Amino acid sequence: MMARILIVEDEEKLRRVLSLQLESAGYEVETAGSAEAALRMSDRANLVLTDLRLPAMDGLSLLQAIQRQNARLPVVVMTAFGTVEIAVEAMKKGAADFLPKPFSMDHLMAVVRKALEVQSLREENTRLKEELGHRYRFENIIGSGPKMQEILASVLRVGPMRTTVLLCGESGVGKDLIARAIHHHSPRSAHPFVKINCTAIPENLMESELFGYEKGAFTGAATSKPGKFEQAEGGTVFLDEIGDVPTAVQVKLLRILQEREFERLGSNKTRQIDVRVIAATNVDLRRALEEGNFREDLYYRLNVFPLTIPPLRERAEDIPVLAENFLRKFARELGSQVEGISEAASQKLMAYHWPGNVRELENAIERSLLYATGTQLQPEDIRLDHAPRRAVPGSAGNGNGSAIVNDFLPEGVSLEEHEQQLIREALRRAAGNKSQAARLLGLSRNALRYRLSQMGLE
C-alpha cells in the first residue's frame, strides 16, 4: 500500500498541481487549505507537505502542533518567503526537510521519497531493538556487546535505503568499516565505494578532486578529468573527516545532497549525479557551527541518520574477541606458533584504556606476537604504549580537588597566551603546514584556521 500524503497549501492551483503529481506517482493524497483543517486530517497521513505561510496558523506552528500529536509523522515544509534561515529553523524544530520555491517536480519527488524512507526507519526502530539479542556478524566487524549490536542492527536497517548517514566517533573506532558495511548491505554494493579523506587533500585542490575539472580550467589542466563523485556514480561516496572541508566546497556538497547535481571546475555544464553520501567525523560539528567553520544547512542535510560509534574503552567486552581475531590474522601472516591468549593477558588488555581504539589494539597484537615465545600470549608479551591520558582540569590538586596552578599552566601565562604558544609551536614543527599542525593539536583544519584568524596570523 502506497503512503498517504497530506498537502497543506492555501493556494488552490498549486495544491491541485502537487496533488496530481503525487497521485501520478502512486501516492494517496489528501489536501487542506489551512493548518486548522490539516490538524483534523493528520492522523491519517504518512507524511505532511506544508507551506510555511498559511492563514491564521503558520506552517511552523502547524509543525509543532503535529509533533505534539504524533512526533513520528514527517513534515516537509515549503517556503517562497523569507530566507533559507527560516527553513533551517523549521528543521531545528523537527521538520524532515524543506523545499524552497520554486522547485521542480523531480526535486519534490526526491524529497518526498527521502522523508518516507526516514519515516520507515523510525517506525521499525522498536522492532529492531527487540532483535538486538541476536549477534550480527559482518566481515571484519566484530562486536558482541549491546552497543555494537545496536550499531550493526542500524547498519542492516539503513543499508538498503538511500538515506545520508553521519558517522561520529573517535579516531580508530572503525568508521571506515561501518561505512563499507552500509554500502555492502545496500542495492549499490555492485557499484563503486569511493572514500575521500578530506584531511589528506590540500585545500586548493579539494574542489577539483571532488568535482573534477575541464581542460584548461587551470594551469596544467591538459585534459578533462572526472572527480571522485563522478567515479562513484551509482555507488557510495564516503567523506571521511567532513569537518575539514573548506566553506566554499561545503556549498557544492550541499547542492549535491539537495539537488543531486554539480559542475566541474571550469565548466558551466550542470551534471546530474546518483550517489549515496556517508560522512564521518571525529570532531564536534556543533562546535564547528558555533565557530562559523561549518554550514548549518549542510549539517542538517548530513545529520539525517547519525550513528555514534562507541570507543573501545566503552565496550571492553569486545576486546578479547577482537584480540583473538587479530591474533589469528597476524599469526598466519607472520608464521607465528602462537595459538591463543592467556586469561591473564586478556585481563591486561581489558584493563588498558586504548586511546587509539581498535586500530591501536590491532597494532598491539601484531607487536606482541613478535615478542611471544610460547603458544599463548602472556602478559609480559603484550607491550602497550602507555601514552599519558589527556589532562583533566582539577585532576592534579592539593587533596581537596583544587588544581595546582604551576602543574596546570606555566607561571605568569594566561590560558589564551598558552594556547597561542602551543599553536605557534605546532606550526613551527609542521614547517607551516596547517593540516599537519592541526593534527598535532588534535584540531580540525578549519578549527585551526579560525584560531589563527583570531590571533591575526591568517
Side-chain angles (χ1 to χ4, degrees), residues 323-341:
E324 289 281 357
N325 181 70
F326 293 140
L327 184 142
R328 289 192 296 270
K329 170 188 171 183
F330 291 119
R332 287 193 303 270
E333 293 179 4
L334 301 173
S336 173
Q337 62 180 347
V338 178
E339 299 174 352
I341 304 175

Side-chain angles (χ1 to χ4, degrees), residues 300-342:
Y300 286 108
R301 288 288 186 184
L302 291 170
N303 199 40
V304 177
F305 194 85
L307 277 177
T308 300
I309 318 300
L312 190 56
R313 62 183 172 274
E314 292 182 8
R315 51 186 185 99
E317 66 276 6
D318 291 336
I319 291 175
V321 185
L322 285 164
E324 289 281 357
N325 181 70
F326 293 140
L327 184 142
R328 289 192 296 270
K329 170 188 171 183
F330 291 119
R332 287 193 303 270
E333 293 179 4
L334 301 173
S336 173
Q337 62 180 347
V338 178
E339 299 174 352
I341 304 175
S342 70

Side-chain angles (χ1 to χ4, degrees), residues 14-31:
L14 178 57
R15 195 165 65 231
R16 181 61 178 161
V17 169
L18 295 175
S19 179
L20 289 173
Q21 174 64 28
L22 292 169
E23 286 175 345
S24 68
Y27 295 108
E28 295 184 24
V29 178
E30 288 188 322
T31 61

Side-chain angles (χ1 to χ4, degrees), residues 153-172:
S154 297
V155 168
L156 283 177
R157 185 66 194 97
V158 78
M161 307 297 182
R162 190 178 182 172
T163 306
T164 303
V165 179
L166 179 62
L167 303 177
C168 306
E170 298 176 6
S171 178

Side-chain angles (χ1 to χ4, degrees), residues 192-203:
F193 175 90
V194 177
K195 178 181 177 179
I196 301 170
N197 189 329
C198 301
T199 302
I201 303 175
E203 186 173 335

